[in-house]
PDB file of all heavy atoms in Angstrom:
ATOM      1  N   TYR B  44     -25.319   5.683  15.949  1.00 97.00           N
ATOM      2  CA  TYR B  44     -25.508   4.317  15.444  1.00 97.00           C
ATOM      3  C   TYR B  44     -25.774   3.314  16.582  1.00 97.00           C
ATOM      4  O   TYR B  44     -26.010   2.118  16.286  1.00 97.00           O
ATOM      5  CB  TYR B  44     -24.265   3.867  14.631  1.00 97.00           C
ATOM      6  CG  TYR B  44     -24.016   4.715  13.389  1.00 97.00           C
ATOM      7  CD1 TYR B  44     -22.811   5.376  13.203  1.00 97.00           C
ATOM      8  CD2 TYR B  44     -25.034   4.888  12.441  1.00 97.00           C
ATOM      9  CE1 TYR B  44     -22.593   6.164  12.085  1.00 97.00           C
ATOM     10  CE2 TYR B  44     -24.817   5.665  11.315  1.00 97.00           C
ATOM     11  CZ  TYR B  44     -23.595   6.300  11.135  1.00 97.00           C
ATOM     12  OH  TYR B  44     -23.370   7.050  10.038  1.00 97.00           O
ATOM     13  N   THR B  72     -11.891  14.384  12.575  1.00 98.00           N
ATOM     14  CA  THR B  72     -11.701  13.627  11.417  1.00 98.00           C
ATOM     15  C   THR B  72     -12.355  14.339  10.201  1.00 98.00           C
ATOM     16  O   THR B  72     -13.471  14.796  10.296  1.00 98.00           O
ATOM     17  CB  THR B  72     -12.330  12.193  11.519  1.00 98.00           C
ATOM     18  OG1 THR B  72     -11.700  11.553  12.631  1.00 98.00           O
ATOM     19  CG2 THR B  72     -12.118  11.358  10.304  1.00 98.00           C
ATOM     20  N   TYR B  84      -1.315  15.940  -6.157  1.00 92.00           N
ATOM     21  CA  TYR B  84      -0.566  14.955  -6.924  1.00 92.00           C
ATOM     22  C   TYR B  84      -0.342  13.656  -6.092  1.00 92.00           C
ATOM     23  O   TYR B  84       0.672  13.041  -6.071  1.00 92.00           O
ATOM     24  CB  TYR B  84       0.821  15.524  -7.323  1.00 92.00           C
ATOM     25  CG  TYR B  84       0.618  16.697  -8.195  1.00 92.00           C
ATOM     26  CD1 TYR B  84       0.824  18.014  -7.706  1.00 92.00           C
ATOM     27  CD2 TYR B  84       0.246  16.571  -9.541  1.00 92.00           C
ATOM     28  CE1 TYR B  84       0.608  19.109  -8.513  1.00 92.00           C
ATOM     29  CE2 TYR B  84       0.043  17.668 -10.348  1.00 92.00           C
ATOM     30  CZ  TYR B  84       0.274  18.922  -9.812  1.00 92.00           C
ATOM     31  OH  TYR B  84       0.070  20.017 -10.612  1.00 92.00           O
ATOM     32  N   ARG B 108     -15.032  16.440 -27.550  1.00 98.00           N
ATOM     33  CA  ARG B 108     -16.112  15.570 -27.191  1.00 98.00           C
ATOM     34  C   ARG B 108     -16.294  14.545 -28.313  1.00 98.00           C
ATOM     35  O   ARG B 108     -16.514  14.887 -29.437  1.00 98.00           O
ATOM     36  CB  ARG B 108     -17.413  16.374 -27.010  1.00 98.00           C
ATOM     37  CG  ARG B 108     -18.538  15.597 -26.392  1.00 98.00           C
ATOM     38  CD  ARG B 108     -19.816  16.499 -26.392  1.00 98.00           C
ATOM     39  NE  ARG B 108     -20.950  15.759 -25.933  1.00 98.00           N
ATOM     40  CZ  ARG B 108     -21.498  15.940 -24.711  1.00 98.00           C
ATOM     41  NH1 ARG B 108     -21.066  16.892 -23.937  1.00 98.00           N
ATOM     42  NH2 ARG B 108     -22.515  15.208 -24.331  1.00 98.00           N
ATOM     43  N   ARG B 132      -3.160  17.300 -22.190  1.00 98.00           N
ATOM     44  CA  ARG B 132      -2.431  18.258 -21.436  1.00 98.00           C
ATOM     45  C   ARG B 132      -0.978  17.819 -21.313  1.00 98.00           C
ATOM     46  O   ARG B 132      -0.651  16.700 -21.572  1.00 98.00           O
ATOM     47  CB  ARG B 132      -3.018  18.453 -20.059  1.00 98.00           C
ATOM     48  CG  ARG B 132      -2.806  17.243 -19.192  1.00 98.00           C
ATOM     49  CD  ARG B 132      -2.984  17.582 -17.686  1.00 98.00           C
ATOM     50  NE  ARG B 132      -2.589  16.411 -16.888  1.00 98.00           N
ATOM     51  CZ  ARG B 132      -2.841  16.338 -15.579  1.00 98.00           C
ATOM     52  NH1 ARG B 132      -3.380  17.366 -14.945  1.00 98.00           N
ATOM     53  NH2 ARG B 132      -2.454  15.305 -14.916  1.00 98.00           N
ATOM     54  N   VAL B 133      -0.142  18.814 -20.910  1.00 98.00           N
ATOM     55  CA  VAL B 133       1.275  18.511 -20.730  1.00 98.00           C
ATOM     56  C   VAL B 133       1.567  18.836 -19.266  1.00 98.00           C
ATOM     57  O   VAL B 133       1.123  19.846 -18.734  1.00 98.00           O
ATOM     58  CB  VAL B 133       2.197  19.345 -21.612  1.00 98.00           C
ATOM     59  CG1 VAL B 133       3.612  18.983 -21.435  1.00 98.00           C
ATOM     60  CG2 VAL B 133       1.788  19.154 -23.044  1.00 98.00           C
ATOM     61  N   LEU B 181     -10.902   8.082  -5.639  1.00 98.00           N
ATOM     62  CA  LEU B 181     -10.540   7.441  -4.370  1.00 98.00           C
ATOM     63  C   LEU B 181      -9.394   6.457  -4.574  1.00 98.00           C
ATOM     64  O   LEU B 181      -8.629   6.225  -3.660  1.00 98.00           O
ATOM     65  CB  LEU B 181     -11.765   6.758  -3.785  1.00 98.00           C
ATOM     66  CG  LEU B 181     -12.988   7.647  -3.616  1.00 98.00           C
ATOM     67  CD1 LEU B 181     -14.106   6.794  -2.997  1.00 98.00           C
ATOM     68  CD2 LEU B 181     -12.601   8.789  -2.667  1.00 98.00           C
ATOM     69  N   GLU B 193       5.805   8.189 -30.582  1.00 98.00           N
ATOM     70  CA  GLU B 193       5.247   8.513 -31.882  1.00 98.00           C
ATOM     71  C   GLU B 193       5.511  10.011 -32.106  1.00 98.00           C
ATOM     72  O   GLU B 193       5.858  10.743 -31.195  1.00 98.00           O
ATOM     73  CB  GLU B 193       3.710   8.243 -31.890  1.00 98.00           C
ATOM     74  CG  GLU B 193       3.350   6.827 -31.496  1.00 98.00           C
ATOM     75  CD  GLU B 193       3.620   5.842 -32.589  1.00 98.00           C
ATOM     76  OE1 GLU B 193       3.559   6.247 -33.782  1.00 98.00           O
ATOM     77  OE2 GLU B 193       3.978   4.696 -32.302  1.00 98.00           O
ATOM     78  N   GLU B 198       7.010  15.329 -30.339  1.00 98.00           N
ATOM     79  CA  GLU B 198       7.041  16.814 -30.500  1.00 98.00           C
ATOM     80  C   GLU B 198       6.758  17.465 -29.156  1.00 98.00           C
ATOM     81  O   GLU B 198       7.479  18.399 -28.759  1.00 98.00           O
ATOM     82  CB  GLU B 198       5.961  17.167 -31.472  1.00 98.00           C
ATOM     83  CG  GLU B 198       6.046  18.657 -31.832  1.00 98.00           C
ATOM     84  CD  GLU B 198       4.845  19.133 -32.683  1.00 98.00           C
ATOM     85  OE1 GLU B 198       4.192  18.278 -33.307  1.00 98.00           O
ATOM     86  OE2 GLU B 198       4.559  20.322 -32.650  1.00 98.00           O
ATOM     87  N   GLU B 212      -1.214   3.716 -18.168  1.00 98.00           N
ATOM     88  CA  GLU B 212      -2.685   3.785 -18.284  1.00 98.00           C
ATOM     89  C   GLU B 212      -3.285   3.715 -16.953  1.00 98.00           C
ATOM     90  O   GLU B 212      -3.001   2.759 -16.185  1.00 98.00           O
ATOM     91  CB  GLU B 212      -3.151   2.657 -19.217  1.00 98.00           C
ATOM     92  CG  GLU B 212      -4.660   2.775 -19.498  1.00 98.00           C
ATOM     93  CD  GLU B 212      -5.153   1.864 -20.639  1.00 98.00           C
ATOM     94  OE1 GLU B 212      -4.868   2.164 -21.785  1.00 98.00           O
ATOM     95  OE2 GLU B 212      -5.762   0.858 -20.293  1.00 98.00           O
ATOM     96  N   LEU B 225     -10.364   7.627 -17.259  1.00 98.00           N
ATOM     97  CA  LEU B 225      -9.351   6.787 -17.857  1.00 98.00           C
ATOM     98  C   LEU B 225      -8.307   7.684 -18.456  1.00 98.00           C
ATOM     99  O   LEU B 225      -8.668   8.649 -19.088  1.00 98.00           O
ATOM    100  CB  LEU B 225      -9.999   5.874 -18.942  1.00 98.00           C
ATOM    101  CG  LEU B 225      -9.038   4.911 -19.583  1.00 98.00           C
ATOM    102  CD1 LEU B 225      -8.612   3.795 -18.602  1.00 98.00           C
ATOM    103  CD2 LEU B 225      -9.714   4.197 -20.783  1.00 98.00           C
ATOM    104  N   ARG B 226      -7.048   7.379 -18.211  1.00 98.00           N
ATOM    105  CA  ARG B 226      -6.055   8.257 -18.804  1.00 98.00           C
ATOM    106  C   ARG B 226      -4.834   7.437 -19.311  1.00 98.00           C
ATOM    107  O   ARG B 226      -4.574   6.341 -18.825  1.00 98.00           O
ATOM    108  CB  ARG B 226      -5.600   9.336 -17.854  1.00 98.00           C
ATOM    109  CG  ARG B 226      -4.729   8.905 -16.724  1.00 98.00           C
ATOM    110  CD  ARG B 226      -4.050  10.084 -16.090  1.00 98.00           C
ATOM    111  NE  ARG B 226      -4.966  10.957 -15.400  1.00 98.00           N
ATOM    112  CZ  ARG B 226      -4.528  12.057 -14.691  1.00 98.00           C
ATOM    113  NH1 ARG B 226      -3.242  12.368 -14.655  1.00 98.00           N
ATOM    114  NH2 ARG B 226      -5.384  12.789 -14.048  1.00 98.00           N
TER     115      ARG B 226
END
Side-chain angles (χ1 to χ4, degrees):
Chain B
Y44 297 123
T72 301
Y84 301 103
R108 191 185 175 107
R132 71 162 186 189
V133 183
L181 304 180
E193 304 286 329
E198 187 189 339
E212 184 168 287
L225 183 66
R226 72 164 69 177

